[in-house]
Amino acid sequence: MTIVAVTVTALLAVAGALTLARIIRGPSILDRAVATDVLLAIIVAAIATEAAYSRDATALPVLVVLAVLGFVGSVSVARFAARRNK
């Protein structure tokens, strides 16, 4: 089980690093917004992985709040982009 946890942690770290690179180098604000949403999803996955590994359910409310925050942020950016293009 430890090998799986280390592998998942390494994959999430690489995904987070690549996403941060996209946030920094993104050519447009929409690219940066999508990368920020992906980074939030990676953070949620990391917290969920830690909660599953430690078999501790106290992180579940944090996961719900982060998921709602990511959804509201994505919808807000999409509405902003739709108004800006008109």
Side-chain angles (χ1 to χ4, degrees):
M1 186 68 175
T2 306
I3 294 172
V4 173
V6 169
T7 305
V8 169
T9 302
L11 289 173
L12 287 172
V14 168
L18 290 173
T19 305
L20 283 174
R22 174 50 58 193
I23 291 172
I24 293 169
R25 295 185 55 195
S28 71
I29 191 71
L30 288 178
D31 288 333
R32 289 185 174 104
V34 170
T36 304
D37 192 39
V38 170
L39 185 62
L40 185 63
I42 292 169
I43 291 169
V44 167
I47 293 172
T49 303
E50 192 276 326
Y53 182 73
S54 66
R55 296 180 187 223
D56 187 19
T58 58
L60 291 178
V62 174
L63 292 174
V64 171
V65 168
L66 285 175
V68 169
L69 181 68
F71 173 73
V72 170
S74 296
V75 169
S76 299
V77 168
R79 288 183 62 134
F80 175 73
R83 280 192 194 156
R84 191 170 165 192
N85 288 337
K86 285 186 178 181

